[in-house]
Amino acid sequence: MMNPTVPREGKQKMRPRSVKPQPEPATTVSKPAAPPVSSCDDLRVLIAKRAYELYCERGYRHGYALDDWLDAEREILSQIPPA
């Protein structure tokens, strides 16, 4: 008979392995920035905001979207100094 306190030959006692936490790398990956807004995009946004203001001033009446856009475009473009 085998003694239960003596390990069998060929088998080793398993000890729990301590796991060390891995340090995070020193360099962090930054998220790519949003694409830069061009001056054309800014201009379009300004015109759209002004066109909406004109729509509100008109009493939210439909059917004048093109007129509001063209009036807003004229106003915004007149404020930009010539190059």
Side-chain angles (χ1 to χ4, degrees):
M1 243 192 200
M2 298 181 93
N3 187 347
T5 58
V6 178
R8 292 188 219 172
E9 290 183 34
K11 289 195 175 184
Q12 299 176 354
K13 281 190 175 180
M14 298 291 289
R15 286 192 294 181
R17 184 192 297 180
S18 62
V19 178
K20 296 179 182 176
Q22 297 292 328
E24 293 189 24
T27 58
T28 58
V29 177
S30 62
K31 294 181 181 178
V37 178
S38 70
S39 59
C40 292
D41 289 339
D42 290 339
L43 188 60
R44 186 178 157 274
V45 169
L46 290 173
I47 294 169
K49 286 181 181 180
R50 180 61 186 139
Y52 181 75
E53 290 171 0
L54 293 172
Y55 168 70
C56 295
E57 290 172 10
R58 194 178 297 248
Y60 303 100
R61 289 190 320 217
H62 296 284
Y64 296 95
L66 180 59
D67 293 331
D68 291 340
W69 183 270
L70 294 175
D71 289 343
E73 188 177 48
R74 194 175 305 111
E75 286 180 28
I76 298 298
L77 293 177
S78 70
Q79 297 172 4
I80 298 174

